[in-house]
Amino acid sequence: MDPVTMEEKYPFITRDYLQGILRREQCESAITVDSFKVVAPLAKGENYSSDILRVTVNYTTGSHNHRTQTYIVKVSFARDEDADLLDAYDVFKREIAVYDVVLPKVEQLLSSIGYTKRLAPVTHSIHRTTIKHFVFEDLTLQGYKPVGRTAGLSFRQLELVLEKIAKFHAATAVLYTIDEESMASHHFRNISEDVPHFYPLFQNSVVACGEQAANWPTTKGRIADKLRALEQTIIAKGCRVYTRRESDFSVLNHGDLWVNNVMLKTEPNGKPADVILVDYATGFFGSPAIDLSYLLYTSAANDVTVEDFDLLLQHYHAELVDTLAKLKYGKRMPTLLDIQVEMLRKGHNGVMFSTFLIPLRLLEDTANADLGGLLGKTEEAIAFRKRLFAHPKYQDRMEYLLNFYDRKGYLD
């Protein structure tokens, strides 16, 4: 990244600013920053709602020791069209509420029952005004790395993600019974009748998926026709997913629970050891099936079968009710059957997102992989979407899932 461009685009990242963060983090007022460097660690196509920066800081302690620290800075989009679009969904407001209000209380609840594993990265700074941004710890320093998005998540990796999200879901369900106001920022519906900005994404994607499905052996004809027809009803179905009844078992959903937002730590032999979830910007207080269908349908590796989905849901449910019981949840415990019924009622969420997130996972050339490429009407955007859905590996997973969706009634 050109340093002049960086200074113009992110003027808040200064020596004094970083020095203040280091001094607060390490409780040492004598720290001085000698130099710093800013790079963009993620390529386009890895994040669609913000700019992600890695800042490496060289500094001197009060005892004249020279050290280096790195941070991850998440910044609201500087591009006006993207920023305006995301502002309509209050994504930064919601993520601030997670880190400022929800996570501290969730961690306190979980630590009270002896659970001390991390659910999210440590936040060193949150700025709500001017250029909105977060300063997070760099999880790579603790051995966490992004999961390879093209392969998807293995069965064991999915188990680890579901264990973490079950803890988060359980704690937020309990928290709501104690303090309803803690979820005040998370009743905004991600798909609603009032904010139509992303309608074209879902409608165009299901039609494009249908066009591809018309060429595949087991989906041409009836299933491909259902996908094309779904263009007319997909938004109404999505609105119902994000409609909550007070009598329902509800949790704070992560909201964007897919492979791109999973950081994985492995043992020396390569075995998955732990995961931490990032990017809590689109949380919604509602059915847990919103997260569950999103994760399983968009991010499972090709060798994870629909029979495995049931095993994974069983694993999630066991973690969920165990945590609810330990936290003395005062309402009716959700049964495994309840979770399966919710997957039928709300699983359309995963169907909607899988049509375009699976090809985005597979895409190698991500030059136009941003909101403009997904929603725009320019020649470049149209060409990008055509290339996206024509990916030769799209069929490998999508044809299998479409038959599953059809059997579940999601396409009707």
Side-chain angles (χ1 to χ4, degrees):
M1 180 179 295
D2 182 78
V4 175
T5 304
M6 182 276 292
E7 290 174 4
E8 290 176 351
K9 195 172 183 181
Y10 312 111
F12 65 90
I13 303 179
T14 64
R15 186 170 297 181
D16 287 344
Y17 179 66
L18 297 169
Q19 195 164 270
I21 290 172
L22 277 165
R23 287 177 176 181
R24 288 193 301 274
E25 178 195 352
Q26 301 189 18
C27 301
E28 185 179 343
S29 61
I31 284 175
T32 57
V33 170
D34 304 314
S35 63
F36 67 93
K37 181 180 180 182
V38 181
V39 297
L42 298 181
K44 290 184 73 173
E46 302 293 341
N47 192 280
Y48 294 88
S49 63
S50 57
D51 290 334
I52 305 295
L53 311 171
R54 175 174 282 116
V55 182
T56 303
V57 188
N58 299 307
Y59 67 98
T60 304
T61 67
S63 54
H64 305 292
N65 292 316
H66 297 285
R67 294 178 181 167
T68 301
Q69 179 65 290
T70 62
Y71 298 105
I72 297 297
V73 181
K74 179 178 181 178
V75 192
S76 61
F77 274 142
R79 297 186 296 277
D80 290 341
E81 63 274 18
D82 288 345
D84 290 344
L85 187 64
L86 292 165
D87 280 348
Y89 288 85
D90 278 340
V91 292
F92 257 74
K93 177 184 174 184
R94 285 194 269 175
E95 190 160 21
I96 287 169
V98 169
Y99 283 101
D100 233 8
V101 178
V102 177
L103 272 172
K105 295 178 180 179
V106 162
E107 289 168 355
Q108 187 176 19
L109 283 169
L110 292 176
S111 67
S112 74
I113 60 171
Y115 186 83
T116 57
K117 289 186 177 181
R118 304 262 302 285
L119 301 177
V122 171
T123 316
H124 293 297
S125 183
I126 299 174
H127 281 256
R128 299 165 174 78
T129 57
T130 57
I131 302 177
K132 302 174 202 168
H133 66 276
F134 298 87
V135 179
F136 294 114
E137 68 170 319
D138 184 353
L139 288 171
T140 63
L141 299 179
Q142 308 298 323
Y144 292 88
K145 296 179 181 179
V147 181
R149 60 182 168 85
T150 55
L153 295 166
S154 69
F155 185 91
R156 179 55 188 149
Q157 290 167 347
L158 286 165
E159 280 189 321
L160 290 174
V161 174
L162 288 167
E163 288 168 16
K164 284 291 175 82
I165 206 64
K167 299 292 186 187
F168 184 71
H169 283 177
T172 55
V174 171
L175 180 58
Y176 185 72
T177 66
I178 300 168
D179 177 15
E180 290 189 9
E181 190 61 23
S182 64
M183 298 299 151
S185 296
H186 293 98
H187 297 299
F188 185 96
R189 297 160 67 203
N190 290 346
I191 303 171
S192 74
E193 299 83 359
D194 304 320
V195 186
H197 303 340
F198 283 97
Y199 287 6
L201 173 60
F202 298 117
Q203 292 166 326
N204 294 343
S205 296
V206 76
V207 169
C209 182
E211 290 172 351
Q212 296 299 316
N215 302 314
W216 301 337
T218 64
T219 56
K220 63 183 179 182
R222 185 174 56 85
I223 290 179
D225 291 344
K226 284 186 177 185
L227 284 165
R228 294 190 188 100
L230 199 58
E231 179 189 11
Q232 303 302 316
T233 59
I234 193 168
I235 300 304
K237 288 175 179 283
C239 290
R240 288 196 289 274
V241 167
Y242 289 93
T243 300
R244 174 181 164 270
R245 299 175 304 200
E246 191 60 39
S247 59
D248 293 340
F249 174 70
S250 295
V251 303
L252 180 55
N253 286 274
H254 177 283
D256 194 14
L257 190 61
W258 74 305
V259 62
N260 268 23
N261 290 327
V262 175
M263 297 289 285
L264 173 69
K265 189 174 188 176
T266 58
E267 295 176 2
N269 62 6
K271 182 180 177 181
D274 190 31
V275 296
I276 288 181
L277 306 177
V278 299
D279 201 359
Y280 287 78
T282 54
F284 174 74
F285 190 68
S287 170
I290 292 172
D291 269 351
L292 298 175
S293 63
Y294 195 110
L295 173 70
L296 295 179
Y297 300 171
T298 69
S299 299
N302 286 4
D303 62 355
V304 177
T305 67
V306 296
E307 290 78 20
D308 288 333
F309 288 172
D310 285 336
L311 296 175
L312 289 163
L313 289 172
Q314 194 170 36
H315 183 69
Y316 163 83
H317 176 259
E319 289 287 332
L320 177 76
V321 295
D322 177 67
T323 307
L324 288 170
K326 288 176 179 175
L327 291 173
K328 297 180 171 54
Y329 181 61
K331 296 186 177 181
R332 176 182 171 273
M333 289 282 190
T335 64
L336 178 57
L337 178 59
D338 291 332
I339 298 299
Q340 290 284 11
V341 169
E342 282 300 291
M343 289 295 286
L344 290 173
R345 290 182 62 236
K346 304 291 188 177
H348 179 72
N349 189 61
V351 176
M352 294 177 70
F353 283 91
S354 66
T355 57
F356 64 90
L357 285 184
I358 288 177
L360 281 174
R361 271 179 40 205
L362 299 170
L363 195 67
E364 293 90 7
D365 178 8
T366 58
N368 289 305
D370 55 23
L371 291 178
L374 293 170
L375 295 168
K377 298 179 180 179
T378 64
E379 288 184 11
E380 291 84 358
I382 293 169
F384 166 70
R385 290 196 295 273
K386 185 175 181 179
R387 188 171 71 253
L388 178 70
F389 288 97
H391 195 288
K393 293 184 179 179
Y394 186 34
Q395 179 183 356
D396 295 346
R397 188 60 173 174
M398 204 69 225
E399 184 178 9
Y400 177 75
L401 287 175
L402 286 174
N403 280 280
F404 168 71
Y405 297 164
D406 187 46
R407 294 193 300 272
K408 292 295 183 183
Y410 290 141
L411 305 182
D412 297 330

